[in-house]
Amino acid sequence: MNRNEQLFNRAKNIIPGGVNSPVRAFGSVGGVPRFIKKAQGAYVWDENGTRYIDYVGSWGPAIVGHAHPEVVEAVREAALGGLSFGAPTEGEIVMAEEIAKLVPSVEQVRLVSSGTEATMSAIRLARGFTGRDKIIKFEGCYHGHSDSLLVKAGSGLLTFGNPSSAGVPADFTKHTLVLAYNNTAQLEETFARIGGEIACVILEPFAGNMNLVRPSENFIRSLRALTKQHGAVLIYDEVMTGFRVALGGAQSLHGVKPDLTTMGKVIGGGMPLAAFGGRKDIMACISPLGGVYQAGTLSGNPVAVAAGLKTLEIIQREGFYENLSALNRQLTEGFQAAAREAGITFSADYIGGMFGLYFSDGLPQSYADMAASNTDGFKKFFHGMLDNGVAFGPSAYEACFMSAAHTPELVEETVAAARKVFAQMAAEI
Ligand SMILES: *Cc1c(COP(=O)(O)O)cnc(C)c1O
């Protein structure tokens, strides 16, 4: 038995499913999860000592590469000065000012420790600000695991959602309406019917939790116009896309100013840090100024802030996003050519530093499109790539992440591995 298997068996005795976040268990692809021993630059090493070119990037945060020396040094320096104070620090102001500078729709910002906290707080804030209860989310968008967001679509059109997790009372989710991503007509119809009752609409401005799915221009324009017209708060959940698809996030590419924005992943540079922010008049509703309660013992943690600030400094260096895009173009074009050669049905897309791989003919527009893709093909591809030293997220519904530590040579190596795996897959059909 190899060490990954040993550790997985040992973990399953003491940790439910052996993991501290479900996707890590390899449930949807089968097999044994790789227990990571260390990571450096574009590589991770598992407990067997096997090295992988990594496109998980800790699910996004590792945009400058793993254990970047400057980030590690910033963390070390901060840690020497104390790990947590439970009192305000200057670093938090610098971080907030930096976020507001890079994301102009954010006039004020509050730091929290996870994306879940950021979105949960933003929703509470939107409800407090509007005095309304109902919220709209879209099928396939993930906004963390707070009760009112663990909702799947109801049975009929325009019905309120059902809990997608045991332990969530239906009473909690009856205020959450789940609509289809990119379905502008459904959105218009909903606002025409109950627009005055909607506190907020929350979306992933490029969806990254049903693989990578782009919104149509029409959908984005309607979202902004309808929320404005009906006095609902528009929340861009940029926990994944913030500082990932572009320096100013998805909103800078859409040319849209949301009312609130949630951020996480990249802003912590691998440490637990997230944020929500936006219009000053809305943010003024948060405690201690306003009546919407929100708090955190470790919020704005000095070590996390140090890691985040150094990461934000590095991503502002000349050509950072152009480089990520060029690597992503090389990878997605290489994969598509390799799939075509092998006769495998496949497509790929990228935006800035994230990319999507699909075992389907065209690019998916919604969760339903993704669900109709060949997830079995993904499974084979995933394990084939792993066997060839390349790690992707262990689910067809996950986006993939490029880092600045990747190089054209590493991408070429990745494409060569894909060529081999596609050929194996074709031989099996
Ligand atoms: C990862 C993610 C979250 C949740 O963040 P956590 O830090 O895992 O709680 C929320 N929204 C989006 C879009 C995400 O990608």
Side-chain angles (χ1 to χ4, degrees):
M1 210 188 300
N2 72 44
R3 211 168 140 67
N4 291 316
E5 280 175 282
Q6 280 169 8
L7 288 173
F8 194 38
N9 288 338
R10 186 172 140 209
K12 281 190 283 195
N13 275 328
I14 194 72
I15 301 171
V19 293
N20 284 312
S21 200
V23 71
R24 298 177 193 174
F26 273 35
S28 76
V29 291
V32 178
R34 303 315 194 247
F35 280 68
I36 302 302
K37 193 175 177 100
K38 64 170 183 175
Q40 180 70 61
Y43 291 113
V44 294
W45 283 260
D46 72 9
E47 286 280 356
N48 282 340
T50 306
R51 190 182 74 177
Y52 304 89
I53 304 174
D54 179 39
Y55 295 98
V56 184
S58 185
W59 301 102
I63 195 166
V64 300
H66 291 290
H68 190 290
E70 290 177 68
V71 176
V72 171
E73 180 53 27
V75 166
R76 202 186 67 87
E77 237 171 71
L80 288 173
L83 298 180
S84 174
F85 316 122
T89 59
E90 185 176 2
E92 293 161 81
I93 312 172
V94 179
M95 174 55 90
E97 287 171 347
E98 199 63 13
I99 292 171
K101 180 189 93 184
L102 297 174
V103 187
S105 73
V106 174
E107 296 167 357
Q108 285 207 324
V109 60
R110 182 159 277 180
L111 303 181
V112 293
S113 301
S114 74
T116 293
E117 249 187 290
T119 54
M120 179 186 76
S121 306
I123 297 270
R124 186 182 303 141
L125 175 58
R127 283 173 161 156
F129 175 73
T130 57
R132 302 171 181 175
D133 289 338
K134 292 183 172 45
I135 66 174
I136 291 177
K137 81 175 283 291
F138 297 96
E139 193 180 21
C141 286
Y142 177 67
H143 305 291
H145 62 90
S146 68
D147 285 337
S148 67
L149 292 166
L150 286 179
V151 186
K152 61 185 175 205
S155 46
L157 204 67
L158 301 188
T159 58
F160 284 88
N162 303 315
S164 61
S165 162
V168 177
D171 268 2
F172 287 20
T173 58
K174 73 179 184 196
H175 298 299
T176 306
L177 189 53
V178 184
L179 304 182
Y181 203 76
N182 271 330
N183 189 333
T184 307
Q186 194 185 41
L187 185 71
E188 284 168 349
E189 196 181 328
T190 305
F191 267 97
R193 218 174 58 140
I194 53 165
E197 299 170 45
I198 305 290
C200 65
V201 179
I202 185 166
L203 83 154
E204 288 186 69
F206 292 106
N209 285 287
M210 49 173 157
N211 208 322
L212 175 60
V213 175
R214 287 172 186 267
S216 72
E217 233 180 280
N218 189 29
F219 183 61
I220 287 300
R221 236 186 265 120
S222 298
L223 270 168
R224 182 62 284 187
L226 288 167
T227 46
K228 196 166 204 168
Q229 185 189 336
H230 292 271
V233 174
L234 177 60
I235 304 174
Y236 264 37
D237 180 0
E238 299 229 39
V239 169
M240 184 182 286
T241 54
F243 314 107
R244 168 55 68 179
V245 295
L247 189 55
Q251 52 197 274
S252 70
L253 300 177
H254 290 175
V256 162
K257 251 186 158 174
D259 302 305
L260 291 177
T261 300
T262 55
M263 287 156 275
K265 297 193 168 110
V266 169
I267 60 165
M271 297 289 287
L273 183 74
F276 65 101
R279 271 166 51 186
K280 206 167 179 171
D281 59 328
I282 302 180
M283 294 300 285
C285 295
I286 301 171
S287 186
L289 288 182
V292 176
Y293 192 71
Q294 188 277 331
T297 301
L298 295 178
S299 288
N301 175 269
V303 185
V305 165
L309 277 176
K310 184 53 76 176
T311 301
L312 292 191
E313 181 191 318
I314 296 169
I315 65 177
Q316 289 177 66
R317 290 179 188 159
E318 178 115 12
F320 186 87
Y321 289 90
E322 289 78 358
N323 176 47
L324 289 184
S325 287
L327 292 168
N328 271 343
R329 185 178 330 114
Q330 183 192 347
L331 185 143
T332 51
E333 287 178 2
F335 274 32
Q336 282 172 296
R340 218 176 301 123
E341 265 168 51
I344 299 279
T345 302
F346 176 85
S347 57
D349 194 12
Y350 71 93
I351 303 158
M354 68 196 273
F355 61 98
L357 309 174
Y358 323 94
F359 286 84
S360 63
D361 243 334
L363 303 181
Q365 304 295 310
S366 66
Y367 183 78
D369 286 357
M370 254 322 287
S373 75
N374 177 9
T375 49
D376 221 47
F378 174 81
K379 254 186 243 184
K380 286 181 185 146
F381 176 76
F382 170 82
H383 279 293
M385 292 301 281
L386 212 52
D387 292 344
N388 282 280
V390 181
F392 291 110
S395 160
Y397 290 88
E398 304 291 352
C400 313
F401 303 97
M402 188 63 76
S403 90
H406 290 78
T407 59
E409 292 72 31
L410 283 181
V411 169
E412 190 40 53
E413 224 179 282
T414 306
V415 171
R419 203 173 292 125
K420 196 166 142 193
V421 172
F422 283 139
Q424 278 165 359
M425 288 170 67
E428 278 172 34
I429 296 168

